Amino acid sequence: MTKKALITGITGQDGSYLSGFLLEKGYEVYGMVRRSSVERFERIEHIKDRVHLVQGDLTDQSSLDEAVKEIQPDEVYNLAAQSFVPTSWNQPTLTGEITGLGATRLLEALRKLKPDARFYQASSSEMFGKVREVPQTELTPFHPRSPYGVAKVYAHFITVNYRESYDMFACSGILFNHESPRRGLEFVTRKITHGVARIKLGLANEIRLGNLDAKRDWGYAGDYVEAMWLMLQQDRPDDYVIASGETHSVREFVEAAFSSAGLDWERFVVLDPKFVRPAEVDLLIGDPKKAREKLGWSPKVGFRDLVKMMVEEDIETLKNSISLNSIVNT
Ligand code: NAP
Ligand code: G4F
């Protein structure tokens, strides 16, 4: 029988890749979307006709109950969140409501209305924050450094708790940073690659950035959604670190992005204290050993190829929109 998957956050980066992946596997895909005065479906435009969109919001229990009751999903992927770390200092309680308590609301809906559904929680390497060991594993203690990280720790442990209290098939994927041409423009990787594309095409002459020394373990989002699915296909629910096992500084990302467009980054990057955070996560590097051994998962796209893919696609997309505009204006 065709399996049904419900994805919260389907309009986000990961939601768009996961829905494409599950459609390829033959799933009937349901995606939760929030009401908005303008539709923001660009990331799922190519599959919009093949997925069922249901209105709902992680801050609203009744919409979650209704969705679960109606759909009766076999698998639920909770990807929705206020996911931008700097915003979590400006909107700490909203971040807690969505990113933290949202997970409990969804788990409650499942406990009451579809307790045998398999549940995936989008946990984050931000939970490690001020890291207690290098590299970070499933057993490394958490020390979050932002309201976002704190909310993710809560959501992580409520997932563990529902597994232990109610015997639910609930898993957390502790995913390290993963990027793609569909990444939001506010995150540093896409801010850089989009900025490089604008500079290359003569549309800008600088990129303003904060801390270039921060190090992240960056992978490709298209690879990481497979790991989410694999977790829900196991005999037992468990938590897994999903990472590349390599770390690079923001400065290295900048150098690689400018050099893949044939540009010298030092002529264009301006340091701006506005983008420095009140508390920084200095170094993230994950150990994906458990995922490799138990899920048979490993990433396919490496750091340099990821940067190149993002720069090339940003240049291509901008070029196309410039020529489209010039046709419209003639
Ligand atoms: P994203 O692009 O920011 O997408 C977030 C999604 O959540 C969007 O679809 C957004 O909808 C939705 N959303 C926000 N508030 C909501 C609410 N109140 N109710 C329902 N939906 C809501 O994030 P992403 O990069 O795809 O990440 C997916 C998940 O993985 C997030 O939980 C993130 O925190 C986590 N994570 C990401 C990474 C990473 O490196 N990307 C690493 C670890 C963990 P709108 O389109 O309407 O805004
Ligand atoms: O790209 P970022 O904003 O991602 P961050 O904070 O690591 O969070 C992302 O990954 C997490 C997984 O670890 C997810 F849970 C979370 O939802 C999100 O997807 O910033 C990366 C680094 C930071 O150290 C930041 O200080 O880049 C540094 N940075 C330097 N200049 C900047 C900038 N970040 C942004 N966004 N903008 C800058 O101008």
Side-chain angles (χ1 to χ4, degrees), residues 83-86 124-126 148 152 175-177 179 183 186-189 191 208-212 214 216 218 250 275 277 280-281 284:
S83 75
F84 190 47
V85 172
S124 165
S125 52
E126 275 290 304
Y148 167 82
K152 280 288 181 189
L175 269 55
F176 283 62
N177 299 51
E179 317 294 316
R183 186 58 141 152
E186 67 276 35
F187 298 94
V188 79
T189 54
K191 181 173 172 180
R208 304 185 81 82
L209 293 171
N211 178 13
L212 300 187
R216 291 289 182 276
W218 278 296
V250 174
F275 298 108
R277 300 176 180 186
E280 179 62 284
V281 172
L284 291 176

Side-chain angles (χ1 to χ4, degrees), residues 4-22:
K4 290 191 223 172
L6 170 62
I7 304 173
T8 71
I10 194 168
T11 54
Q13 172 189 257
D14 291 5
S16 71
Y17 282 103
L18 180 65
S19 47
F21 176 86
L22 293 176

Side-chain angles (χ1 to χ4, degrees), residues 164-189:
E164 293 174 355
S165 304
Y166 305 116
D167 205 21
M168 286 170 65
F169 197 108
C171 304
S172 272
I174 307 174
L175 269 55
F176 283 62
N177 299 51
H178 45 281
E179 317 294 316
S180 74
R182 298 184 204 165
R183 186 58 141 152
L185 286 168
E186 67 276 35
F187 298 94
V188 79
T189 54

Side-chain angles (χ1 to χ4, degrees), residues 15-184:
S16 71
Y17 282 103
L18 180 65
S19 47
F21 176 86
L22 293 176
L23 285 171
E24 288 302 305
K25 292 249 170 245
Y27 278 69
E28 200 172 319
V29 175
Y30 292 78
M32 181 169 288
V33 292
R34 319 189 253 183
R35 195 267 157 185
S36 162
S37 65
V38 280
E39 280 193 351
R40 287 169 295 186
F41 296 157
E42 306 93 62
R43 292 190 180 107
I44 50 166
E45 207 50 61
H46 57 299
I47 47 169
K48 221 178 106 205
D49 298 339
R50 297 165 63 203
V51 298
H52 308 273
L53 298 180
V54 289
Q55 272 202 7
D57 195 301
L58 280 193
T59 58
D60 180 65
Q61 185 72 53
S62 66
S63 63
L64 303 179
D65 292 350
E66 198 55 35
V68 169
K69 191 168 134 211
E70 284 300 309
I71 298 162
Q72 291 289 299
D74 300 291
E75 296 174 11
V76 176
Y77 296 86
N78 184 32
L79 307 187
Q82 188 306 93
S83 75
F84 190 47
V85 172
T87 297
S88 75
W89 276 286
N90 296 335
Q91 302 181 5
T93 54
L94 182 70
T95 302
E97 280 290 347
I98 301 172
T99 307
L101 276 174
T104 311
R105 293 192 188 95
L106 191 50
L107 282 161
E108 268 298 280
L110 294 174
R111 184 184 68 80
K112 289 181 292 185
L113 300 158
K114 189 74 170 79
D116 64 339
R118 295 186 169 207
F119 177 80
Y120 172 85
Q121 168 59 23
S123 284
S124 165
S125 52
E126 275 290 304
M127 302 189 303
F128 297 121
K130 197 171 163 65
V131 299
R132 306 273 186 88
E133 63 178 347
V134 177
Q136 296 85 52
T137 73
E138 293 78 6
L139 300 176
T140 303
F142 299 138
H143 184 148
R145 293 275 278 170
S146 62
Y148 167 82
V150 173
K152 280 288 181 189
V153 171
Y154 169 81
H156 178 82
F157 279 124
I158 202 74
T159 303
V160 174
N161 182 261
Y162 270 53
R163 179 166 79 216
E164 293 174 355
S165 304
Y166 305 116
D167 205 21
M168 286 170 65
F169 197 108
C171 304
S172 272
I174 307 174
L175 269 55
F176 283 62
N177 299 51
H178 45 281
E179 317 294 316
S180 74
R182 298 184 204 165
R183 186 58 141 152

